[in-house]
Amino acid sequence: MRHGKVFIALFLFFYMPQTYAQNMHTYNFKEGLSNNSINCITKDNRGFLWVGTGEGLNRFDGRHFISFFCNRNDPASLSGNNIFDILCYK
């Protein structure tokens, strides 16, 4: 009986359709991330991923990045571009 279980396990492992595997994609500067050095990441209650990098804050909607940077002439902008922590208010 033990050999039967091993056979079933091997059969399922090698012959299962590949549709169950998730495709992994990495993102970097070329895909719109403001910097390849990621310091922190969080997900907000609307499903956006927020990525803090060494060169700005990035919002990812699943397809595109929008980057936010420090603007010394705008007091409502980020205070600096090196983002170490992200706090989401819920």
Side-chain angles (χ1 to χ4, degrees), residues 21-64:
Q22 292 183 359
N23 293 331
M24 294 295 293
H25 183 82
T26 57
Y27 294 95
N28 58 31
F29 185 77
K30 292 179 182 178
E31 282 83 25
L33 195 60
S34 64
N35 190 293
N36 290 336
S37 174
I38 295 175
N39 298 328
C40 55
I41 186 168
T42 191
K43 183 178 178 183
D44 70 11
N45 59 353
R46 295 186 299 168
F48 291 116
L49 286 178
W50 291 87
V51 182
T53 69
E55 193 60 42
L57 179 65
N58 301 269
R59 186 184 77 184
F60 185 62
D61 64 5
R63 291 185 176 194
H64 304 99

Side-chain angles (χ1 to χ4, degrees), residues 1-24:
M1 188 68 171
R2 181 171 178 238
H3 295 291
K5 290 180 182 179
V6 171
F7 175 76
I8 291 172
L10 289 173
F11 177 80
L12 291 174
F13 180 76
F14 287 108
Y15 294 105
M16 285 188 69
Q18 295 298 320
T19 57
Y20 295 108
Q22 292 183 359
N23 293 331
M24 294 295 293

